[in-house]
């Protein structure tokens, strides 16, 4: 059976860049953005696809038009749910992964809904709900679903928006909103999203908190594996006969995002087709040694 790949040119830039460039930005704007994301992810879920790495950096504008639609990119960690299959591979970007992923418990498409909640949180204040210089403490925050609506950044944000986020960032995946439920929430389907301009505060925080995020992607990915072992969160394994696609690079070297690795950077040396514990301890982390044709990693030294 032939398989066809369709590609389209996406030239509108990243979500954060568009928000920062705006002179006027409101809750209603954020609500409309989240609705587009929910519609797209609902379609994926209806088709049995789980993205597993939803984050602002993977949300791109189709064109430079003011009313351009949002496109979801980077399906390198996505997975098709099969009948009876179980997902439990720890993957994604630390600040956006659901608690059950870090705990390495079997999980479902509900992990995408958690990530949408994190994105909605950031769109309304400009900073992430979970943060700590110490990665182990960061993971503990996520595992406990500990986050706040800090003053003064949330003082002008509606209770409806906060309620919407709380339903998506619900620790229990069985109680967490699905895309269908989220689309019916008043903040999305009604008129509870406020029109007050929050651009100054949000754009300032985005500049402050996300300016260097691209340079931290590879480090954050290795930190997940390193601290999961320290916290002894168990093993990671997909269901029988299931495989997990990795980012486009040679062998089992996984570089998060769009291959933003440089020589000397730490990357994950991990075969997602096997349990985490079956990979030798010293083979998990590697340092990029050289690149081959097309910018793919050609060789790396295990750490």
């Amino acid at each position: 059976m032939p398989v066809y790949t369709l590609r389209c040119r996406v030239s509108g830039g990243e979500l954060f860049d568009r928000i920062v460039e705006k002179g006027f930005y409101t809750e209603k704007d954020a609500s409309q953005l989240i609705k587009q994301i929910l519609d797209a992810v609902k379609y994926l879920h209806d088709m049995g696809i789980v993205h597993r790495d939803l984050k602002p950096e993977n949300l791109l504008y189709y064109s430079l038009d003011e009313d351009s639609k949002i496109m979801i990119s980077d399906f390198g960690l996505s997975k098709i749910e099969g009948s009876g299959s179980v997902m439990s591979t720890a993957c994604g970007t630390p600040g956006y992964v659901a608690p059950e992923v870090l705990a390495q418990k079997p999980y479902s498409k509900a992990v995408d809904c958690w990530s949408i909640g994190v994105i909605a949180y950031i769109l309304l204040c400009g900073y992430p709900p979970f943060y700590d210089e110490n990665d182990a403490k960061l993971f503990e925050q996520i595992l406990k679903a500990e986050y706040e609506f800090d003053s003064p950044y949330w003082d002008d944000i509606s209770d409806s928006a906060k309620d919407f986020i709380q339903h998506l960032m619900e620790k229990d995946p069985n109680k967490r909103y699905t895309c269908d439920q989220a689309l019916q929430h008043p903040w999305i389907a009604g008129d509870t999203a406020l029109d007050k301009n929050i651009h100054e505060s949000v754009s300032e925080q985005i500049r402050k908190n996300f300016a260097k995020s691209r340079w931290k992607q590879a480090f954050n990915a290795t930190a997940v594996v390193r601290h999961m072992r320290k916290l002894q969160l168990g093993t990671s394994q997909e269901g029988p006969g299931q495989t997990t696609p990795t980012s486009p690079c040679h062998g089992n070297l996984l570089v998060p995002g769009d291959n933003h690795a440089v020589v000397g950077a730490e990357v994950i040396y991990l075969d997602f087709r096997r349990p985490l514990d079956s990979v030798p301890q010293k083979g998990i982390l590697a340092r990029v040694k050289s690149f081959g044709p097309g910018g793919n990693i050609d060789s790396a030294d295990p750490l």
Side-chain angles (χ1 to χ4, degrees), residues 47-109:
M47 298 293 290
I49 300 170
V50 186
H51 188 280
R52 303 205 295 187
D53 195 23
L54 291 172
K55 55 186 176 182
E57 291 86 348
N58 288 341
L59 302 174
L60 308 173
Y61 280 95
Y62 178 72
S63 71
L64 293 172
D65 296 340
E66 182 69 24
D67 59 350
S68 171
K69 60 184 177 182
I70 283 284
M71 309 286 285
I72 296 176
S73 67
D74 197 350
F75 283 74
L77 294 176
S78 63
K79 182 175 176 63
I80 298 177
E81 283 187 309
S83 58
S85 67
V86 176
M87 290 182 290
S88 59
T89 294
C91 62
T93 303
Y96 302 90
V97 294
E100 61 267 28
V101 175
L102 284 180
Q104 294 186 279
K105 296 178 179 178
Y107 58 81
S108 68
K109 57 190 177 185

Coordinates of all heavy atoms in Angstrom, one line a residue, residues 47-109:
M47 N -8.4 10.8 14.8 CA -7.7 9.9 13.8 C -6.8 8.9 14.6 O -6.1 8.1 13.9 CB -6.9 10.7 12.8 CG -7.7 11.7 12.0 SD -8.8 10.8 10.8 CE -7.5 10.2 9.7
G48 N -6.8 9.0 15.9 CA -6.0 8.1 16.7 C -4.6 8.5 16.8 O -3.7 7.6 17.2
I49 N -4.3 9.7 16.6 CA -2.9 10.2 16.6 C -2.7 11.1 17.9 O -3.5 12.0 18.2 CB -2.5 11.1 15.4 CG1 -2.7 10.2 14.1 CG2 -1.1 11.7 15.5 CD1 -2.6 11.0 12.9
V50 N -1.6 10.8 18.6 CA -1.2 11.5 19.8 C 0.1 12.3 19.5 O 1.1 11.6 19.1 CB -1.0 10.6 21.1 CG1 -0.8 11.5 22.3 CG2 -2.2 9.8 21.3
H51 N 0.1 13.6 19.6 CA 1.3 14.4 19.2 C 2.5 14.2 20.2 O 3.6 14.0 19.8 CB 0.9 15.9 19.1 CG 2.0 16.7 18.5 ND1 3.1 17.1 19.3 CD2 2.2 17.2 17.3 CE1 3.9 17.8 18.5 NE2 3.4 17.9 17.3
R52 N 2.2 14.3 21.5 CA 3.2 14.1 22.5 C 4.3 15.1 22.7 O 5.1 15.0 23.6 CB 3.8 12.7 22.4 CG 2.8 11.5 22.4 CD 3.4 10.2 22.9 NE 4.4 9.7 22.0 CZ 5.0 8.5 22.1 NH1 4.6 7.7 23.1 NH2 5.9 8.1 21.3
D53 N 4.3 16.2 21.9 CA 5.3 17.2 22.1 C 4.7 18.6 21.8 O 5.3 19.4 21.1 CB 6.5 16.9 21.3 CG 7.7 17.8 21.7 OD1 7.7 18.2 22.9 OD2 8.6 18.0 20.9
L54 N 3.5 18.8 22.2 CA 2.8 20.1 21.9 C 3.5 21.2 22.8 O 3.6 21.0 24.0 CB 1.3 20.1 22.2 CG 0.5 19.2 21.3 CD1 -0.9 19.1 21.8 CD2 0.5 19.8 19.9
K55 N 3.9 22.3 22.2 CA 4.5 23.4 22.9 C 4.5 24.6 21.9 O 4.3 24.4 20.7 CB 6.0 23.1 23.3 CG 6.9 22.6 22.1 CD 8.2 22.2 22.7 CE 9.1 21.7 21.5 NZ 10.4 21.2 22.0
P56 N 4.6 25.8 22.4 CA 4.5 27.0 21.6 C 5.5 27.0 20.4 O 5.2 27.5 19.3 CB 4.9 28.2 22.5 CG 4.4 27.6 23.9 CD 4.8 26.2 23.8
E57 N 6.7 26.5 20.6 CA 7.7 26.4 19.5 C 7.2 25.6 18.3 O 7.8 25.7 17.2 CB 9.0 25.9 20.0 CG 9.8 26.9 21.0 CD 9.3 26.7 22.4 OE1 8.3 26.0 22.7 OE2 10.0 27.2 23.3
N58 N 6.3 24.7 18.6 CA 5.8 23.8 17.5 C 4.5 24.4 16.9 O 3.8 23.6 16.1 CB 5.6 22.4 18.0 CG 6.9 21.7 18.2 OD1 7.9 22.1 17.7 ND2 6.9 20.6 19.1
L59 N 4.1 25.6 17.2 CA 2.9 26.2 16.7 C 3.4 27.3 15.7 O 3.9 28.3 16.2 CB 2.0 26.7 17.8 CG 1.6 25.7 18.8 CD1 0.9 26.4 20.0 CD2 0.7 24.6 18.2
L60 N 3.1 27.2 14.5 CA 3.6 28.1 13.5 C 2.4 28.7 12.7 O 1.4 28.0 12.5 CB 4.5 27.4 12.5 CG 5.7 26.6 13.1 CD1 6.4 25.9 11.9 CD2 6.6 27.5 13.8
Y61 N 2.6 30.0 12.3 CA 1.5 30.6 11.5 C 1.7 30.2 10.0 O 2.8 30.2 9.5 CB 1.6 32.1 11.6 CG 0.9 32.6 12.9 CD1 1.7 32.9 14.0 CD2 -0.4 32.9 12.9 CE1 1.0 33.3 15.2 CE2 -1.1 33.3 14.0 CZ -0.3 33.6 15.2 OH -0.9 34.0 16.3
Y62 N 0.6 29.9 9.4 CA 0.7 29.5 8.0 C 1.2 30.5 7.0 O 2.0 30.3 6.1 CB -0.7 29.0 7.5 CG -0.8 28.6 6.1 CD1 -0.3 27.4 5.7 CD2 -1.4 29.4 5.1 CE1 -0.3 27.0 4.3 CE2 -1.5 29.0 3.8 CZ -0.9 27.8 3.4 OH -1.0 27.4 2.1
S63 N 0.8 31.8 7.3 CA 1.3 32.9 6.5 C 1.5 34.1 7.3 O 1.2 34.1 8.5 CB 0.3 33.2 5.3 OG -0.9 33.7 5.9
L64 N 1.9 35.2 6.7 CA 2.1 36.5 7.4 C 0.8 37.3 7.5 O 0.8 38.3 8.1 CB 3.2 37.3 6.6 CG 4.6 36.8 6.6 CD1 5.5 37.6 5.7 CD2 5.2 36.7 8.0
D65 N -0.3 36.8 6.9 CA -1.6 37.5 7.0 C -2.0 37.6 8.5 O -1.7 36.8 9.3 CB -2.6 36.7 6.2 CG -2.3 36.6 4.8 OD1 -1.5 37.5 4.3 OD2 -2.9 35.8 4.1
E66 N -2.7 38.7 8.8 CA -3.1 39.0 10.1 C -4.0 37.9 10.7 O -4.0 37.6 11.8 CB -3.9 40.4 10.1 CG -4.3 40.8 11.5 CD -3.2 41.1 12.5 OE1 -2.1 41.5 12.0 OE2 -3.4 41.1 13.7
D67 N -4.9 37.3 9.8 CA -5.8 36.3 10.2 C -5.3 34.9 9.8 O -6.1 34.0 9.7 CB -7.2 36.6 9.5 CG -7.1 36.6 8.0 OD1 -6.0 36.6 7.5 OD2 -8.2 36.6 7.4
S68 N -4.0 34.7 9.7 CA -3.5 33.4 9.4 C -3.8 32.4 10.4 O -3.9 32.6 11.6 CB -1.9 33.5 9.3 OG -1.3 32.3 9.1
K69 N -4.0 31.2 9.9 CA -4.3 30.0 10.8 C -3.0 29.5 11.4 O -1.9 29.7 10.9 CB -5.0 28.9 10.1 CG -4.2 28.3 8.9 CD -5.1 27.3 8.2 CE -4.3 26.8 6.9 NZ -5.1 25.8 6.2
I70 N -3.2 28.8 12.5 CA -2.0 28.2 13.2 C -1.9 26.8 12.7 O -2.8 26.0 12.5 CB -2.3 28.1 14.8 CG1 -2.1 29.5 15.4 CG2 -1.4 27.1 15.5 CD1 -0.6 29.9 15.5
M71 N -0.6 26.4 12.5 CA -0.3 25.0 12.1 C 0.5 24.3 13.2 O 1.4 24.9 13.8 CB 0.6 25.1 10.8 CG 0.0 25.9 9.7 SD -1.4 25.1 8.9 CE -0.6 23.9 7.9
I72 N 0.2 23.0 13.4 CA 1.0 22.2 14.4 C 2.1 21.5 13.7 O 1.9 20.9 12.6 CB 0.1 21.2 15.1 CG1 -1.0 21.9 15.9 CG2 0.9 20.3 16.0 CD1 -2.0 21.0 16.6
S73 N 3.3 21.7 14.2 CA 4.5 21.1 13.5 C 5.2 20.0 14.4 O 4.8 19.9 15.6 CB 5.5 22.2 13.1 OG 6.1 22.8 14.3
D74 N 6.2 19.4 13.9 CA 7.1 18.5 14.6 C 6.4 17.3 15.1 O 6.1 17.2 16.3 CB 7.9 19.3 15.7 CG 9.1 18.5 16.1 OD1 9.2 17.3 15.7 OD2 9.9 19.0 16.9
F75 N 6.2 16.3 14.3 CA 5.5 15.1 14.7 C 6.5 14.0 14.9 O 6.1 12.8 14.9 CB 4.5 14.7 13.6 CG 3.2 15.5 13.6 CD1 3.2 16.8 13.2 CD2 2.0 15.0 14.2 CE1 2.0 17.6 13.2 CE2 0.9 15.7 14.2 CZ 0.8 17.0 13.7
G76 N 7.7 14.3 15.3 CA 8.8 13.3 15.5 C 8.5 12.4 16.6 O 9.0 11.3 16.6
L77 N 7.7 12.8 17.6 CA 7.4 12.0 18.8 C 6.0 11.5 18.8 O 5.5 10.9 19.8 CB 7.7 12.7 20.1 CG 9.2 13.1 20.3 CD1 9.4 13.9 21.6 CD2 10.0 11.8 20.4
S78 N 5.2 11.8 17.7 CA 3.8 11.4 17.7 C 3.7 9.9 17.6 O 4.6 9.2 17.2 CB 3.1 12.1 16.5 OG 3.7 11.7 15.3
K79 N 2.5 9.4 17.9 CA 2.2 8.0 17.9 C 0.8 7.7 17.5 O -0.1 8.5 17.9 CB 2.5 7.4 19.3 CG 2.4 5.9 19.3 CD 2.8 5.3 20.7 CE 2.5 3.8 20.8 NZ 3.3 3.1 19.8
I80 N 0.6 6.7 16.8 CA -0.8 6.3 16.5 C -1.2 5.3 17.5 O -0.6 4.2 17.7 CB -0.8 5.6 15.1 CG1 -0.4 6.7 14.0 CG2 -2.2 5.1 14.8 CD1 -0.4 6.1 12.6
E81 N -2.3 5.6 18.1 CA -2.9 4.7 19.1 C -3.5 3.5 18.4 O -4.3 3.6 17.5 CB -4.0 5.4 20.0 CG -3.5 6.3 21.0 CD -4.6 6.8 21.9 OE1 -5.6 7.3 21.3 OE2 -4.5 6.8 23.1
G82 N -3.1 2.3 18.9 CA -3.6 1.0 18.3 C -4.5 0.4 19.4 O -4.4 0.6 20.5
S83 N -5.3 -0.6 18.9 CA -6.2 -1.3 19.8 C -5.3 -2.1 20.8 O -4.5 -3.0 20.3 CB -7.1 -2.2 19.0 OG -6.4 -3.1 18.2
G84 N -5.5 -1.9 22.0 CA -4.7 -2.6 23.0 C -3.3 -2.2 23.3 O -2.6 -2.7 24.1
S85 N -2.8 -1.1 22.5 CA -1.5 -0.7 22.7 C -1.4 0.2 23.9 O -2.4 0.9 24.3 CB -1.0 0.1 21.5 OG -1.7 1.3 21.3
V86 N -0.2 0.3 24.5 CA 0.0 1.1 25.7 C 1.2 2.0 25.5 O 2.2 1.6 25.0 CB 0.3 0.2 26.9 CG1 0.6 1.0 28.1 CG2 -0.9 -0.7 27.2
M87 N 1.0 3.3 25.8 CA 2.1 4.3 25.7 C 2.6 4.5 27.1 O 1.8 4.8 28.0 CB 1.6 5.6 25.1 CG 1.2 5.5 23.6 SD 0.7 7.1 22.9 CE -0.9 7.3 23.7
S88 N 3.9 4.4 27.2 CA 4.5 4.8 28.5 C 5.9 5.3 28.4 O 6.6 5.6 29.3 CB 4.5 3.6 29.5 OG 5.2 2.5 28.9
T89 N 6.3 5.5 27.1 CA 7.7 6.1 26.8 C 7.7 7.5 27.3 O 6.9 8.3 27.0 CB 8.0 6.0 25.3 OG1 8.1 4.7 24.9 CG2 9.3 6.7 25.0
A90 N 8.8 7.8 28.1 CA 9.0 9.2 28.6 C 9.5 10.0 27.4 O 10.7 9.8 27.0 CB 9.9 9.2 29.8
C91 N 8.7 10.9 26.9 CA 9.2 11.8 25.8 C 8.5 13.1 25.8 O 7.5 13.2 26.5 CB 9.0 11.1 24.4 SG 7.3 10.7 24.0
G92 N 9.0 14.1 25.1 CA 8.4 15.4 25.1 C 9.4 16.4 25.6 O 10.6 16.1 25.8
T93 N 8.9 17.6 25.9 CA 9.7 18.7 26.5 C 9.3 18.9 27.9 O 8.1 19.0 28.2 CB 9.5 20.0 25.6 OG1 9.8 19.7 24.3 CG2 10.4 21.1 26.2
P94 N 10.3 18.8 28.9 CA 9.9 18.8 30.3 C 8.8 19.7 30.8 O 7.9 19.3 31.5 CB 11.3 19.2 30.9 CG 12.3 18.6 30.0 CD 11.7 18.8 28.6
G95 N 8.9 21.0 30.4 CA 7.9 21.9 31.0 C 6.5 21.7 30.5 O 5.5 22.3 31.1
Y96 N 6.3 20.9 29.5 CA 5.0 20.7 28.9 C 4.4 19.3 29.0 O 3.3 19.1 28.6 CB 5.0 21.1 27.4 CG 5.5 22.5 27.1 CD1 6.9 22.7 26.9 CD2 4.6 23.5 27.1 CE1 7.3 24.0 26.7 CE2 5.1 24.8 26.9 CZ 6.4 25.1 26.7 OH 6.9 26.3 26.5
V97 N 5.2 18.4 29.6 CA 4.7 17.0 29.7 C 3.8 16.8 30.9 O 3.9 17.5 31.9 CB 5.9 16.0 29.8 CG1 6.7 16.0 28.5 CG2 6.8 16.3 31.0
A98 N 2.9 15.9 30.7 CA 1.9 15.6 31.8 C 2.5 14.8 32.9 O 3.5 14.1 32.7 CB 0.7 14.9 31.2
P99 N 2.0 14.9 34.1 CA 2.6 14.2 35.3 C 2.7 12.7 35.0 O 3.7 12.1 35.4 CB 1.6 14.5 36.4 CG 0.9 15.8 36.0 CD 0.9 15.7 34.5
E100 N 1.7 12.1 34.3 CA 1.8 10.6 34.1 C 2.9 10.2 33.2 O 3.4 9.1 33.3 CB 0.5 10.1 33.6 CG 0.0 10.7 32.3 CD -0.9 11.9 32.4 OE1 -0.8 12.6 33.4 OE2 -1.7 12.1 31.5
V101 N 3.4 11.2 32.3 CA 4.5 10.9 31.5 C 5.8 10.8 32.3 O 6.6 9.9 32.2 CB 4.6 11.9 30.3 CG1 5.9 11.7 29.5 CG2 3.4 11.9 29.5
L102 N 6.0 11.8 33.1 CA 7.2 11.9 34.0 C 7.2 10.7 35.0 O 8.3 10.2 35.3 CB 7.3 13.2 34.8 CG 7.7 14.4 34.0 CD1 7.7 15.6 34.9 CD2 9.1 14.2 33.4
A103 N 6.0 10.3 35.4 CA 5.9 9.2 36.3 C 6.1 7.8 35.6 O 6.2 6.8 36.2 CB 4.6 9.2 37.0
Q104 N 6.2 7.9 34.3 CA 6.3 6.7 33.4 C 5.3 5.7 33.6 O 5.5 4.5 33.6 CB 7.7 6.2 33.6 CG 8.8 7.1 33.1 CD 10.2 6.5 33.1 OE1 10.8 6.4 34.1 NE2 10.6 6.0 32.0
K105 N 4.0 6.2 33.8 CA 2.9 5.3 33.9 C 2.3 5.2 32.5 O 2.5 6.1 31.6 CB 1.8 5.9 34.8 CG 2.3 6.0 36.3 CD 1.2 6.7 37.1 CE 1.7 6.8 38.6 NZ 0.6 7.4 39.4
P106 N 1.5 4.2 32.2 CA 0.8 4.1 30.9 C -0.1 5.4 30.8 O -0.7 5.8 31.7 CB -0.1 2.9 31.1 CG 0.7 2.0 32.0 CD 1.3 3.0 33.0
Y107 N -0.1 6.0 29.6 CA -0.8 7.2 29.4 C -1.6 7.2 28.0 O -1.4 6.2 27.2 CB 0.1 8.4 29.4 CG 1.3 8.4 28.5 CD1 1.1 8.8 27.1 CD2 2.5 8.1 28.9 CE1 2.1 8.9 26.3 CE2 3.6 8.1 28.0 CZ 3.4 8.5 26.7 OH 4.5 8.5 25.8
S108 N -2.4 8.2 27.8 CA -3.2 8.3 26.6 C -3.1 9.6 26.0 O -2.3 10.4 26.3 CB -4.7 8.0 27.1 OG -5.1 9.1 27.9
K109 N -4.1 9.9 25.1 CA -4.1 11.2 24.4 C -4.3 12.3 25.3 O -4.2 13.5 24.9 CB -5.1 11.2 23.2 CG -6.5 10.8 23.7 CD -7.5 10.6 22.5 CE -8.8 10.2 23.0 NZ -9.7 9.8 21.9

